[in-house]
Amino acid sequence: AGYLPVSADLNLVAGRNLELGNVHLEAVSTQAVLQGTVLSAEDGQVLPNVVVSAGGASVNTDQSGFYRLTLAPGDVAIEVSLAGYQTVTASATLAAGSVSTFSPSLYLEGSQTPQQTHLTGRVLDLDSLQPLAGVVISLNGVEVATSNNEGVFVAQDVAAGAATITLTSAGYLTASFNGMLQENATNQLGDLTLQQQATNPLTSVMGLIRDAHDEAPIDGAEIRIPELSLTAMTDDEGRFRIEGISETQFTVEINAVGYFGASSQVDVALGTTVVANADLHRAAATGIEINEMRAATGEVYEAYAEVELDVGFLNTGNEARDVRLFLKVVNSQGLVVEQYPVVSIPMGGTLADALMTLEPGVQTEAEVEWHITDHAADYYNLIVQAYSAEGQLLVERGELIQVRPTRRIGGHAGFSPPITQLAGNRPVAIEATIANRGNTNLPPQQLTARVALKTKGFGPERMDTSLADLISSDDMYRNYGATLDEQGNLYYLNKSGTEIKKRAADGSFSVLLSGFNNGRAIIADNQGKVFVLTSNTIIEVNANGDQTIHALDFSGASRFSLIDTNKFFVWGGTSLRRVEIGQPSELIVQSGLSNAYAAAQMQNGDIYIADSSNVVFIYRDTVLTQFHRYSTPFTRLVAFGGTRLLAVDYRKTSIYELLADGSTQLIADGFGSIFDIKERDGGLIVSDYSNHQIVQVGL
């Protein structure tokens, strides 16, 4: 009661929730409004300070000649007066909630007034404010005038009093309003506007796709409208949007790897935004789950790169199960571009040689690789499938990655003779084989080959023996980062970020903490504590292995760095935050980034941020600006000594210094896959993921 009703036509589908969002109700007004502009009949200029009285209330017009009165509904007498002008009187019946317009023209005292009532005005396009010709003006349902090429219309000898004025024109929305026409006067309506009709309004579908078990967003789910061949995929927050739908009836199909699909029939008016949220149920076979999966080498790649997937299997049954793993690669159009077994049957071997055993109640880790070669720039869903020995699909799960457009020339060179004496003054013939090692066509062009002489030992000293020789593959497997404390103890994230292992200064090894998942980075402070970052927590561990879990007030964290005691920079996705343990996080950068790979703060307070867009940004005095755009992105940054900016290249095999003029200088190379890098004792501690090494580099 007391509100105007709102209605809409909806189509409810069995078993589905239809989200309406916020519905706004407008309160029913118990009063009426009388408003208008008072003009001079002599020259059409506005008249300020005119007294307008009606229903026991009065008001003066403002400097633009405008007035507005809020009155009780019913019959009212109106009087408009100004010294030196003839007084105008009229009567009207005002309805509750109505807005009536009365814009009289006043004549000077002693001047002759018209003997008829006239109506005039000008019609304009709402968007361009250009005059509209051919607009039909109707008064109380009767056509009285048509606008000319200047948009002006004049209706002569019309009835005075209450009037409903309607404007109609092809291609425009009809406009109408209520007013009062002054008797024996030219009633000037001024400029009136018409809004163009929307041409071919289109419908859009948006929504959020989640896991029905834990309500986690599902990344890479496919949403299709088969009747229109429209497709979209969810982002890392599980959201999607499809626009440009030209039909009123269509089907929305939702599918995700490892889940039962869902579909819904939609019947709406054009121009509607349909919200299609869905919680999908997992489609795993009894007892076998893929409970962990991520691209260990990142989410964005170039052509001919290698993707490494870390996959965790859990057998919740009572018996061991033998499975064979396959990888299926699907592009954004839903086409399978590759599908092959992870382990091939060796020559002379049997199927048993390609099977992996999942012991009951035990987490089993597997590594799956995809060599991208020259596949086109696109988003790809990498689907790991586990089949029984009999060929039954038991479980599958996907991970979405992006392949960027890549322009690169590769090849190899041969020399004749292959060995020659330095300064021997003998010619050396060079033969080169050139190939397109990218995924985009290269136009015909002239190529220049450059030959450089490299001397062994050139560049910074790489002190592999200081740490790498002391940590064998038996003590380290797939480390996700390392850190040293003040006492020389080394801590590293072992087994794909699921345990913290310690190599004490005396050379002994121990497991400091295990049983957690998705460790992304590790830092030791000068207070004897170690911190591990996950996507939504910081795990604090003391020297005894006791842990305290600090929940973050955001998710999607990927890396962090230590600012001060219990204070960190944390970044991931499009944001950079300052986090203090026990306090709400402070959002430093919230826009301008595509996907932050790394951040480092210099001695002067400047923060450098490496982004997936190939740009290194600088954040200074609360302003984010571009430092330099490079040919490829950098994945790690270190503020060495607080004054030198060091970076790990996109291939994660080399370390460069980024100079102020935008150029780069090679510091060290030859790594397998750098996962983490930190400054220590005038050098760098480098965690080499694929070589299972921790390497110290002296600078």
Side-chain angles (χ1 to χ4, degrees):
Y3 291 87
L4 296 174
V6 173
S7 63
D9 294 329
L10 302 173
N11 182 42
L12 300 180
V13 179
R16 294 293 307 278
N17 295 326
L18 181 63
E19 185 174 313
L20 297 180
N22 296 326
V23 179
H24 299 278
L25 297 182
E26 183 179 352
V28 176
S29 176
T30 59
Q31 295 183 304
V33 173
L34 179 67
Q35 64 183 24
T37 302
V38 182
L39 305 174
S40 168
E42 306 298 326
D43 54 14
Q45 298 297 310
V46 298
L47 293 177
N49 300 316
V50 177
V51 178
V52 182
S53 303
S58 64
V59 69
N60 285 18
T61 58
D62 60 19
Q63 293 302 309
S64 64
F66 179 78
Y67 74 93
R68 181 182 176 93
L69 285 169
T70 301
L71 306 169
D75 296 333
V76 295
I78 307 169
E79 182 179 282
V80 182
S81 60
L82 178 64
Y85 289 85
Q86 300 179 35
T87 298
V88 172
T89 60
S91 62
T93 300
L94 306 179
S98 67
V99 177
S100 298
T101 300
F102 181 49
S103 298
S105 297
L106 300 188
Y107 291 84
L108 291 171
E109 289 182 347
S111 63
Q112 186 175 1
T113 61
Q115 300 302 307
Q116 294 177 328
T117 301
H118 306 306
L119 178 66
T120 184
R122 186 173 66 153
V123 186
L124 306 176
D125 180 279
L126 176 63
D127 297 321
S128 66
L129 297 181
Q130 294 299 308
L132 292 179
V135 178
V136 176
I137 293 83
S138 299
L139 184 63
N140 295 328
V142 178
E143 182 179 330
V144 294
T146 301
S147 62
N148 61 21
N149 290 334
E150 286 74 40
V152 176
F153 65 88
V154 177
Q156 297 182 340
D157 194 15
V158 297
T164 298
I165 302 164
T166 305
L167 309 180
T168 57
S169 180
Y172 287 84
L173 299 176
T174 298
S176 64
F177 59 92
N178 297 323
M180 295 290 301
L181 298 186
Q182 178 184 350
E183 187 175 10
N184 295 333
T186 298
N187 292 266
Q188 174 60 258
L189 298 182
D191 288 338
L192 308 173
T193 58
L194 289 182
Q195 181 180 359
Q196 293 188 35
Q197 292 178 343
T199 58
N200 299 324
L202 299 176
T203 293
S204 60
V205 177
M206 61 181 292
L208 170 65
I209 310 302
R210 305 183 305 178
D211 187 310
H213 174 69
D214 57 10
E215 297 186 348
I218 299 177
D219 182 7
E222 181 187 60
I223 294 85
R224 295 181 63 248
I225 300 178
E227 297 92 340
L228 302 174
S229 299
L230 296 176
T231 304
M233 300 184 78
T234 55
D235 58 19
D236 55 4
E237 296 181 351
R239 301 189 181 278
F240 74 92
R241 186 179 185 93
I242 300 177
E243 298 180 332
I245 302 171
S246 57
E247 301 293 334
T248 59
Q249 296 181 342
F250 52 88
T251 305
V252 178
E253 295 180 350
I254 303 171
N255 292 285
V257 176
Y259 292 86
F260 290 109
S263 64
S264 176
Q265 299 294 323
V266 178
D267 186 353
V268 294
L270 282 177
T272 305
T273 297
V274 178
V275 178
N277 298 333
D279 292 341
L280 302 185
H281 293 271
R282 297 178 183 175
T286 303
I288 305 296
E289 297 180 4
I290 298 179
N291 60 356
E292 177 184 341
M293 182 171 174
R294 68 172 175 175
T297 45
E299 299 176 352
V300 183
Y301 298 83
E302 293 187 343
Y304 289 90
E306 180 181 293
V307 183
E308 295 180 4
L309 297 175
D310 290 339
V311 188
F313 293 88
L314 182 62
N315 182 357
T316 60
N318 299 320
E319 298 180 355
R321 299 287 297 273
D322 290 331
V323 299
R324 189 179 187 192
L325 302 186
F326 284 77
L327 179 65
K328 181 168 68 173
V329 182
V330 181
N331 65 16
S332 63
Q333 305 302 313
L335 300 177
V336 178
V337 297
E338 284 193 58
Q339 186 170 18
Y340 53 85
V342 174
V343 178
S344 300
I345 300 175
M347 183 73 69
T350 65
L351 176 62
D353 298 319
L355 298 179
M356 180 177 69
T357 301
L358 304 179
E359 298 293 342
V362 177
Q363 176 85 3
T364 304
E365 303 288 337
E367 184 176 294
V368 178
E369 297 179 350
W370 180 46
H371 298 272
I372 297 174
T373 65
D374 61 350
H375 284 295
D378 198 355
Y379 286 91
Y380 292 89
N381 199 5
L382 309 186
I383 304 169
V384 175
Q385 302 172 312
Y387 285 83
S388 68
E390 295 75 28
Q392 177 191 0
L393 178 62
L394 302 178
V395 65
E396 63 179 4
R397 182 167 170 177
E399 180 75 9
L400 193 67
I401 63 113
Q402 180 187 3
V403 176
R404 300 168 64 94
T406 308
R407 295 171 58 90
R408 184 189 302 119
I409 295 175
H412 63 274
F415 302 88
S416 180
I419 301 176
T420 188
Q421 183 179 357
L422 183 65
N425 203 26
R426 292 183 56 192
V428 176
I430 303 175
E431 294 183 355
T433 300
I434 305 298
N436 184 348
R437 300 290 289 177
N439 55 14
T440 60
N441 292 327
L442 298 177
Q445 56 190 292
Q446 181 177 348
L447 301 178
T448 302
R450 182 177 293 109
V451 180
L453 177 65
K454 289 190 175 181
T455 304
K456 184 178 180 180
F458 173 79
E461 179 187 4
R462 177 169 165 154
M463 301 178 292
D464 292 6
T465 57
S466 62
L467 290 176
D469 288 354
L470 298 178
I471 302 179
S472 67
S473 59
D474 294 334
D475 299 310
M476 174 180 295
Y477 177 67
R478 298 163 74 185
N479 90 84
Y480 276 8
T483 183
L484 278 167
D485 64 13
E486 297 293 331
Q487 291 73 42
N489 300 309
L490 175 72
Y491 304 88
Y492 55 94
L493 277 173
N494 205 33
K495 295 182 179 179
S496 303
T498 61
E499 72 173 16
I500 304 174
K501 205 161 186 178
K502 174 182 177 181
R503 186 187 73 85
D506 60 8
S508 62
F509 285 86
S510 61
V511 176
L512 185 64
L513 181 68
S514 62
F516 59 91
N517 290 317
N518 298 321
R520 306 278 178 103
I522 185 170
I523 293 176
D525 66 5
N526 57 8
Q527 307 294 319
K529 294 184 291 186
V530 176
F531 298 88
V532 173
L533 177 72
T534 72
S535 64
N536 55 8
T537 64
I538 293 179
I539 304 174
E540 176 185 336
V541 187
N542 63 20
N544 298 322
D546 301 323
Q547 65 169 318
T548 303
I549 299 178
H550 304 284
L552 300 175
D553 54 6
F554 59 94
S555 61
S558 61
R559 308 290 297 171
F560 71 154
S561 62
L562 185 67
I563 306 174
D564 202 347
T565 303
N566 291 335
K567 296 180 180 179
F568 307 86
F569 282 128
V570 181
W571 60 89
T574 60
S575 65
L576 172 68
R577 297 173 184 263
R578 185 181 286 110
V579 174
E580 181 176 358
I581 296 296
Q583 301 294 326
S585 66
E586 176 188 355
L587 186 60
I588 300 175
V589 178
Q590 60 181 337
S591 62
L593 301 176
S594 298
N595 187 13
Y597 281 161
Q601 185 172 25
M602 308 300 283
Q603 197 173 58
N604 62 2
D606 291 347
I607 302 174
Y608 288 82
I609 305 170
D611 191 60
S612 64
S613 60
N614 297 6
V615 174
V616 173
F617 292 95
I618 182 171
Y619 182 78
R620 176 186 297 156
D621 299 329
T622 72
V623 177
L624 185 71
T625 58
Q626 178 175 308
F627 170 65
H628 191 72
R629 179 179 292 275
Y630 298 88
S631 59
T632 60
F634 292 99
T635 59
R636 300 288 183 267
L637 293 178
V638 173
F640 188 79
T643 58
R644 298 172 64 187
L645 185 63
L646 307 185
V648 176
D649 73 329
Y650 184 72
R651 296 173 178 272
K652 302 183 181 179
T653 59
S654 305
I655 302 171
Y656 291 86
E657 181 173 0
L658 307 186
L659 303 178
D661 61 0
S663 62
T664 61
Q665 178 176 326
L666 180 66
I667 298 296
D669 61 2
F671 298 96
S673 179
I674 299 174
F675 195 89
D676 186 44
I677 180 172
K678 289 186 175 66
E679 178 181 359
R680 180 69 178 184
D681 296 334
L684 299 173
I685 300 296
V686 182
S687 296
D688 192 333
Y689 170 84
S690 61
N691 289 335
H692 309 294
Q693 286 183 324
I694 296 177
V695 177
Q696 181 171 332
V697 176
L699 298 179

